[in-house]
Structures are given as structure tokens and as C-alpha cells.
């Protein structure tokens, strides 16, 4: 039998200082015992990425994306080398690689590249020679142009899950600065509870609607390849965290899993005339990593009614692009909203939900959409904090 293989991923906060890097190395030594092998994926130390994004903006207001990728991939590479050194100091045989060196092949979209495949040969060979292989997260290479690419902000989670799928790892562990996934953000809601278990589908909806704990593309990949993910705190790694595994079973009665939210969104109700293709618009948004939280369209004769919500900061760039793509864009309604997503199952079967939510939120409620596995609720921004409290209180006990 081949030795067991564990993928571990550590976020930037878990590796923010020399001391933290040493703690992580020590923890790896205590958990990965021969013949078990580990591939350890790292993010850039602390707030490196944010700081260098800001620095680049000081040099150029709109820096070339290729150069941004050259710049930002350095953060993960430095952390990987430092962790490999710390592991050697712990007496483990370790080596670090960039995404490009181990054949993480992507498309050519700088700043938000998609993984096409991972060659994995060099990685497998290295695992024969070294017990621990450290990989710089969030990066790959376009095999055609040989250019280095990044997978989008927070993309190291994606590297870890993609490697777990390629190598058919026995375990995939993600270490964060929080103890797992909660029924709401524990920093905002003190009664939020840790979820010991979450289905792949619920994890996809949660991470896609603003929960910071797992990258949404990583959640989607885990669901597609059915990879169990163990989320733990790097500060208290032996505490039980959250396991993401299994599919959501359809249930007769509504079942609440968790509440998540996004602030500073704008809701646009648009009428487009002469717009041949919505597809280029959606492709353009995706290439920017700018997926609308709500997105619905309706054709009325030769016009298209498009309703969507997206980050307030990107609203003008989006309107500009739409105006170029379509002959005429009429903005019928533009609202600043705070958007909540309640994730669970069986919501569309409840007769009382609509009434419960409208009474609960009163005048603050701006929009409401109930689907089987998710309820999306837009409220006035000034009512965001209070609505979060009310929704969590109502939903964590009963969903009527
Ligand atoms: N360092 C990158 C970022 O901050 C990638 C990551 O942390 O996963 O976006
Ligand atoms: Mg980071």
C-alpha cells in the first residue's frame, strides 16, 4: 500500500510571523509521521498581498495584470521557502515549489486564471524523495505562453483542493484563523454556533454568498470531485473544526444551516435594448472575478430586463461596459443593499417563510427570493446589523 498522503493548507494569518511559521512547522512534525507524506500549500504571509496591491496602485493607477501576477506570486513563493526552511530545522526533509514548477496549468486570464489540469509528475517524484513538499498557493502557469498566472484573490484554497483531487489525497485539511464554519460570523453574532458538519452543496452556496471561510471555487471543486475538507484553526488545531463532506439530502421540512451576508452591494434593475448577447457580459464579469450575487434576466419582445446585484465599487465600470455592448441601457432602479443568504434545504416548501421574513424585517426589507436551498434577502444598508441579528435569532431556532 502506498503511504498515506495528506494535503494541508495554511492561510496568511497562520503564517504571519517567524514565530507562527515555526509553530506551523512544529505542528506538521507532530502530525505527519513517517510513512505519511504531506503536501503543504501556503498563502502569502500576513497581509503581504494587500500591501503589494496598494503599492502597485501607487506606481500605476491601472497596473498591467501580467505584472500584477509577477508581483503577487512572489508572496506565496517566499512563504513556501521560509516554511520549507522551518521544516528542515524541525528535522523534516522538505522542499518548496511554485505552482509553475509542479505543472499547475491554467488558462491565460491574469488575475483570475482557471486551472485546466495539474501535471503532478514532479510532485509525485518529489514525494518519493522528500517527506514534505511545500507549494506556493494561488498560482499556475499558462503552458502556451509560459506566463505565470494567479487564480484570483484567496486562491490558495483552490490550489489545495485541486492538488487533493489530482493526487487522490487521503485527507485535505485547511487551517484558518477561525475554528471552522459557523451559523453566522462569530465576530458579529455572539450566539453563532460552529457547524461540525456541512454538505458540499451548502458549502458552495455559503462561500459563494460571502462566507469568508472557504474560497467559492475551492468549494465547487470539492463538491465536483467529492473531496472531504477538514477546516481547523491553526491556533488550536486539535479542536474539532468543520468537516465538509457528503451531499445535501432533500428534506421535507425546511432546515437551516447558516446565514451569511455581503455589504456594500448595489442592486440594478436595467432594461437593455438591442443587446445581442448577454454571454459576453457574463464572460467579462467572470474574467474580472466579479460574479453578481443575484442575477436574473427576462426577455420582453426585443428588450432584455436584467436585475443583478454587484459590488458598489464596481458598479460604474459595469455600467460603462454595458453601454458599450448594448445600444441602449436604461437604469430603472438602483439601490444600495446589504444582502443576506440563508443556506439550508427545503425552503421552497415552507408556507410560513414569506410571512416570517416580512414581519421580521418590516420596512428594512428591499428584496426577497426563496429557492429550495437558499433564501436571498436584500435590506437597507443602515438596517444591516440589526437584520443580521434578527435573522440569525429567528432562523437558528426554527424555520417555520
Ligand atoms: N495571497 C493571496 C490573497 O491574499 C492568495 C491567498 O491568500 O489565498 O489573495
Ligand atoms: Mg492572502
Amino acid at each position: 500500500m502506498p503511504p498515506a498522503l495528506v494535503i494541508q493548507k495554511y492561510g496568511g494569518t497562520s503564517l504571519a510571523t517567524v514565530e507562527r511559521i515555526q509553530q506551523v512547522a512544529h505542528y506538521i512534525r507532530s502530525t505527519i509521521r513517517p510513512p505519511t507524506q504531506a503536501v503543504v500549500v501556503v498563502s502569502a504571509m500576513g497581509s503581504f498581498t494587500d500591501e503589494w496591491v496598494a503599492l502597485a496602485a501607487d506606481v500605476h493607477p491601472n497596473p498591467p495584470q501580467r505584472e500584477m501576477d509577477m508581483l503577487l506570486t512572489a508572496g506565496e513563493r517566499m512563504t513556501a521557502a521560509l516554511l520549507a526552511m522551518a521544516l528542515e530545522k524541525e528535522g523534516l526533509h522538505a522542499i518548496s515549489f511554485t505552482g509553475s514548477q509542479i505543472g499547475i496549468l491554467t488558462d491565460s486570464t491574469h488575475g483570475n486564471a482557471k486551472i485546466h489540469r495539474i501535471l503532478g509528475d514532479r510532485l509525485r517524484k518529489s514525494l518519493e524523495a522528500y517527506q514534505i513538499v511545500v507549494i506556493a498557493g494561488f498560482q499556475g502557469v499558462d503552458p502556451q505562453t509560459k506566463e505565470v498566472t494567479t487564480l484570483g484573490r484567496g486562491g490558495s484554497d483552490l490550489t489545495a483542493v485541486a492538488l487533493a483531487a489530482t493526487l487522490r489525497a487521503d485527507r485535505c485539511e485547511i487551517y484558518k484563523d477561525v475554528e471552522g464554519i459557523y451559523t453566522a460570523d462569530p465576530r458579529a453574532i455572539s450566539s453563532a454556533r460552529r457547524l461540525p458538519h456541512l454538505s458540499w452543496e451548502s458549502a458552495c452556496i455559503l462561500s459563494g454568498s460571502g462566507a469568508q471561510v472557504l474560497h467559492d471555487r475551492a468549494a465547487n471543486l470539492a463538491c465536483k470531485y467529492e473531496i472531504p475538507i477538514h477546516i481547523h484553526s491553526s491556533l488550536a488545531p486539535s479542536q474539532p473544526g468543520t468537516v465538509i463532506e457528503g451531499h445535501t439530502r432533500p428534506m421535507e421540512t425546511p432546515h437551516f444551516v447558516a446565514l451569511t451576508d455581503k455589504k456594500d452591494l448595489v442592486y440594478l434593475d436595467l432594461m437593455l435594448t438591442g443587446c445581442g448577447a448577454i454571454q459576453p457580459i457574463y464572460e467579462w464579469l467572470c474574467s474580472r472575478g466579479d460574479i453578481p450575487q443575484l442575477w436574473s434576466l427576462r426577455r420582453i419582445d426585443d428588450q432584455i430586463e436584467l436585475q443583478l446585484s454587484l459590488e458598489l465599487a464596481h458598479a460604474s465600470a459595469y455600467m460603462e461596459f454595458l453601454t458599450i455592448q448594448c445600444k441602449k441601457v436604461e437604469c430603472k432602479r438602483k439601490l444600495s443593499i446589504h444582502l443576506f443568504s440563508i443556506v439550508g434545504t427545503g425552503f421552497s416548501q415552507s408556507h410560513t417563510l414569506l410571512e416570517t421574513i416580512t414581519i421580521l424585517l418590516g420596512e428594512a426589507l428591499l428584496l426577497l427570493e426563496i429557492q429550495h436551498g437558499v433564501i436571498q434577502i436584500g435590506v437597507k444598508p443602515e438596517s444591516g446589523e440589526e437584520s443580521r441579528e434578527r435573522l440569525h435569532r429567528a432562523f437558528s431556532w426554527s424555520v417555520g
Side-chain angles (χ1 to χ4, degrees):
M1 242 187 39
L5 177 65
V6 177
I7 310 284
Q8 291 189 343
K9 185 256 159 177
Y10 294 92
T13 319
S14 309
L15 299 160
T17 60
V18 170
E19 201 191 3
R20 291 253 173 107
I21 291 178
Q22 285 169 336
Q23 276 168 4
V24 165
H26 187 72
Y27 174 73
I28 293 172
R29 188 174 63 109
S30 66
T31 50
I32 308 295
R33 300 236 163 78
T36 299
Q37 301 165 323
V39 172
V40 179
V41 177
V42 295
S43 292
M45 284 173 78
S47 50
F48 176 98
T49 312
D50 289 333
E51 282 159 25
W52 286 84
V53 167
L55 213 95
D58 287 344
V59 174
H60 191 309
N62 190 16
Q65 284 298 313
R66 182 209 178 261
E67 299 309 329
M68 284 307 286
D69 282 357
M70 289 296 288
L71 181 70
L72 299 184
T73 46
E76 269 67 13
R77 179 175 176 160
M78 291 192 285
T79 319
L82 288 174
L83 181 62
M85 291 174 200
L87 288 164
E88 284 286 333
K89 192 157 163 270
E90 284 284 329
L92 291 166
H93 207 30
I95 186 169
S96 70
F97 291 114
T98 65
S100 152
Q101 282 175 309
I102 55 145
I104 299 187
L105 308 184
T106 71
D107 65 16
S108 56
T109 319
H110 286 296
N112 195 33
K114 300 271 175 324
I115 300 176
H116 280 179
R117 70 196 175 101
I118 300 181
L119 298 179
D121 293 355
R122 186 165 187 194
L123 193 51
R124 282 191 199 93
K125 275 218 173 66
S126 303
L127 279 169
E128 285 165 21
Y130 295 86
Q131 194 196 350
I132 316 280
V133 178
V134 185
I135 306 294
F138 149 80
Q139 55 189 274
V141 64
D142 172 359
Q144 249 97 51
T145 59
K146 309 276 185 284
E147 296 286 10
V148 165
T149 53
T150 58
L151 308 177
R153 293 301 309 269
S156 302
D157 286 353
L158 185 63
T159 306
V161 178
L163 287 173
T166 306
L167 300 170
R168 297 181 201 289
D170 298 281
R171 250 176 106 85
C172 181
E173 300 166 354
I174 296 196
Y175 292 89
K176 299 259 161 190
D177 55 348
V178 288
E179 271 181 30
I181 301 182
Y182 282 71
T183 54
D185 183 349
R187 283 166 294 215
I189 302 273
S190 56
S191 59
R193 287 173 286 116
R194 180 182 53 83
L195 294 161
H197 176 261
L198 196 66
S199 72
W200 286 304
E201 286 84 2
S202 293
C204 288
I205 302 175
L206 267 181
S207 53
S209 43
Q212 301 283 314
V213 85
L214 183 68
H215 192 276
D216 55 346
R217 282 165 57 196
N220 281 312
L221 205 65
C223 186
K224 181 171 169 191
Y225 289 93
E226 303 194 321
I227 298 177
I229 309 279
H230 299 251
I231 296 186
H232 291 283
S233 157
S234 64
L235 298 171
S238 55
Q239 292 299 310
T242 297
V243 183
I244 302 172
E245 186 175 20
H247 294 285
T248 302
R249 309 254 171 263
M251 289 173 73
E252 285 289 330
T253 49
H255 169 68
F256 167 76
V257 174
L259 167 77
T260 182
D261 62 313
K262 270 198 172 171
K263 291 184 197 176
D264 301 326
L265 294 180
V266 63
Y267 173 79
L268 299 172
D269 188 355
L270 308 170
M271 200 59 133
L272 316 179
T273 311
C275 182
I278 288 290
Q279 186 62 19
I281 299 171
Y282 202 68
E283 269 171 24
W284 176 78
L285 279 173
C286 290
S287 73
R288 294 164 49 100
D290 215 5
I291 317 291
Q293 288 300 304
L294 283 174
W295 164 269
S296 77
L297 70 86
R298 216 151 52 100
R299 182 176 281 280
I300 305 164
D301 301 326
D302 61 345
Q303 292 200 308
I304 287 176
E305 196 180 77
L306 183 63
Q307 286 151 346
L308 58 123
S309 68
L310 71 163
E311 277 175 46
L312 196 55
H314 300 167
S316 52
Y318 184 71
M319 287 296 283
E320 208 173 286
F321 183 81
L322 271 174
T323 317
I324 297 165
Q325 283 283 320
C326 305
K327 279 198 210 110
K328 201 171 150 227
V329 181
E330 186 201 336
C331 184
K332 294 199 297 178
R333 237 154 63 104
K334 185 175 173 191
L335 294 172
S336 293
I337 59 166
H338 190 138
L339 187 70
F340 291 92
S341 302
I342 298 172
V343 179
T345 47
F347 293 140
S348 46
Q349 288 150 18
S350 166
H351 310 295
T352 53
L353 270 177
L354 200 68
E355 200 189 352
T356 310
I357 295 169
T358 44
I359 293 172
L360 200 66
L361 301 177
E363 287 294 300
L365 182 65
L366 293 175
L367 55 103
L368 172 62
E369 203 176 294
I370 301 177
Q371 290 170 20
H372 177 75
V374 62
I375 305 170
Q376 292 198 299
I377 303 165
V379 303
K380 293 177 183 164
E382 61 275 20
S383 311
E385 303 300 316
E386 199 188 334
S387 304
R388 189 197 287 116
E389 293 275 356
R390 286 177 178 219
L391 287 169
H392 187 260
R393 209 179 310 130
F395 275 85
S396 56
W397 302 115
S398 123
V399 282

